[in-house]
Amino acid sequence: MTFNRRQPIRVLIVDDSAMVREFLRSSLNKEPDIEVVGAAADPYFARDKFLKLKPDVITLDIEMPRMDGLTFLKKLMKAYPTPVVMFSSLTLEGAEATLQALAYGAVDFVAKPSRNVSAYQEALIEELADKIRGAVKAKVRRIPVAVEQLKVPQKVEVDEVVALTKAPPRSGGPMIVLIGASTGGTVALEQVLKRLPKDSPPIAIVQHMPVHFTKAFADRLDSLVEINVQEAKDNQPLSPGQALIAPGGRHMLLERGKTGYKVRVKDGPPVNRHKPSVDVLFRSGVNNAGANAVAVIMTGMGDDGAQGLKNLHEAGAFTVAQNEETCTVYGMPKSAVEIGAASRVVPLGNIAPLIIGLWKDAPKGRK
């Protein structure tokens, strides 16, 4: 599918609320590059309209009569892999279901207010339209992961993932891993963290998500991986074997004190239209970690984190960008690569072994 489209992006809306369907139809049709070609009240109607209309992107509600959105999504991705943007309720239950949808193959999601959707019309439609534009460019595929691939690597093929002799020299101090991701990042981060052993470097993560969703995401990861994963709290220490995820709607910064690293969680305006922002985390790492940082930018739309990665690279950090072939959306990593911010560009499957290799090679004083 070409990215320079001459025709509008054809969208099918699937939602059980007639008011929401009409609101989305009328609002999205005002976008010059988007055309709503149909709407359906439940997955059975959606199936028939999908086969007839062949939309480019589907927006999909989760709670619907006769068949829920998750069941429909699984059937769709098995038979007709199609870019899907979930339209999810802004609740803890909605967050957990949305994370499941992303695992089933949905490209992205937008959290809809629980009441009076039209009151949030401008911001909501702007976000949904942007994510529809990103979804149409995304690689839509469900990659089955073999059980053995999810085990902690017992042997790290260092030469395949990173030539340690070429890594930038580091001064004393503990190693820290900083990771930024967006669209496609929930599944990608799960695959990375599942391969890390309990004895891993401390990790600070920014995944673009709203309030409620990051707590559910952290809890889900914590149940699946060997390291400890939490939604970050202000002034929380960051230790080996631990990953902290920036809370939705707040920025997360890295600080370094006499006893090690900690994170600061702060309010503030969006940066690059995001809160939390990857750039905020990465730039805070320049002065607080510098050459002791390993920074990774992963799949996602836009360019958040690219400049911060370059700042870290210039400070002597080892910087990594996920390669195009394994990204759901090659936006953030592409922006970083284009400005020379990445020490290495690697496939998703090499990110965990790379981190392990650097950690094992680190002197005792850096652990």
Side-chain angles (χ1 to χ4, degrees):
M1 183 177 295
T2 178
F3 292 0
N4 297 316
R5 303 176 58 92
R6 294 184 179 180
Q7 299 298 322
I9 303 168
R10 294 163 51 81
V11 176
L12 174 64
I13 297 167
V14 185
D15 198 293
D16 66 331
S17 168
M19 182 182 70
V20 171
R21 292 197 303 273
E22 182 53 37
F23 163 67
L24 293 180
R25 183 201 297 270
S26 61
S27 300
L28 288 173
N29 275 335
K30 294 176 183 177
E31 301 291 324
D33 57 342
I34 295 175
E35 177 187 4
V36 177
V37 295
D42 68 39
Y44 288 95
F45 291 124
R47 177 194 58 193
D48 296 337
K49 292 198 174 188
F50 172 84
L51 294 173
K52 179 181 178 180
L53 299 170
K54 299 293 191 297
D56 300 313
V57 177
I58 296 174
T59 69
L60 180 61
D61 192 14
I62 292 178
E63 297 180 3
M64 290 180 290
R66 299 208 289 171
M67 181 189 295
D68 64 88
L70 291 179
T71 301
F72 175 68
L73 177 66
K74 285 193 289 183
K75 293 178 179 293
L76 177 73
M77 299 307 290
K78 183 177 180 180
Y80 305 100
T82 303
V84 173
V85 177
M86 304 304 295
F87 201 45
S88 313
S89 57
L90 190 59
T91 63
L92 179 58
E93 293 77 14
E96 292 170 345
T98 300
L99 291 170
Q100 194 64 58
L102 295 171
Y104 289 158
V107 173
D108 212 333
F109 70 95
V110 172
K112 64 179 176 182
S114 56
R115 298 180 181 177
N116 196 11
V117 173
S118 59
Y120 301 87
Q121 178 173 346
E122 185 175 347
L124 187 65
I125 294 302
E126 180 182 8
E127 181 182 6
L128 182 58
D130 280 349
K131 293 191 174 182
I132 288 171
R133 295 181 185 108
V136 80
K137 302 176 185 179
K139 296 184 182 74
V140 181
R141 57 188 177 186
R142 288 197 60 217
I143 306 174
V145 180
V147 174
E148 56 269 18
Q149 289 182 295
L150 299 181
K151 294 179 181 177
V152 174
Q154 298 301 311
K155 180 181 179 182
V156 179
E157 299 294 343
V158 173
D159 290 342
E160 293 183 10
V161 293
V162 55
L164 293 174
T165 56
K166 297 181 180 179
R170 295 180 175 88
S171 57
M175 175 175 161
I176 180 77
V177 178
L178 309 175
I179 303 178
S182 187
T183 312
T186 56
V187 175
L189 282 165
E190 180 181 322
Q191 292 190 34
V192 171
L193 298 188
K194 273 183 174 178
R195 302 192 71 196
L196 296 179
K198 290 181 180 179
D199 177 24
S200 290
I203 303 171
I205 299 170
V206 167
Q207 164 70 47
H208 292 158
M209 277 186 165
V211 179
H212 299 305
F213 285 76
T214 45
K215 176 64 166 61
F217 180 47
D219 290 346
R220 172 183 168 81
L221 286 176
D222 190 58
S223 70
L224 296 173
V225 306
E226 292 193 20
I227 64 173
N228 175 256
V229 184
Q230 299 176 37
E231 182 185 57
K233 297 179 175 61
D234 189 35
N235 276 318
Q236 185 171 1
L238 189 53
S239 306
Q242 180 185 37
L244 295 180
I245 296 177
R250 308 275 283 179
H251 290 304
M252 184 171 75
L253 297 84
L254 182 72
E255 286 192 0
R256 180 177 170 186
K258 294 181 179 179
T259 58
Y261 294 109
K262 66 177 180 178
V263 295
R264 299 302 310 273
V265 175
K266 298 182 178 181
D267 202 356
V271 175
N272 302 323
R273 299 173 64 186
H274 294 289
K275 188 168 67 171
S277 162
V278 181
D279 260 332
V280 169
L281 174 64
F282 282 1
R283 292 183 185 183
S284 70
V286 172
N287 292 329
N288 290 283
N292 300 309
V294 174
V296 184
I297 193 164
M298 298 173 63
T299 176
M301 290 190 295
D303 62 359
D304 185 33
Q307 186 58 51
L309 195 75
K310 184 174 178 62
N311 296 150
L312 280 165
H313 181 71
E314 292 170 344
F318 192 89
T319 55
V320 180
Q322 184 181 346
N323 73 347
E324 181 175 6
E325 290 74 17
T326 61
C327 281
T328 299
V329 177
Y330 189 55
M332 288 159 49
K334 179 183 179 182
S335 297
V337 171
E338 287 179 342
I339 62 174
S343 307
R344 285 297 174 92
V345 180
V346 303
L348 176 62
N350 283 2
I351 292 175
L354 184 153
I355 291 171
I356 295 168
L358 291 171
W359 181 239
K360 287 185 176 180
D361 187 66
K364 290 184 179 180
R366 296 194 56 238
K367 295 185 177 182

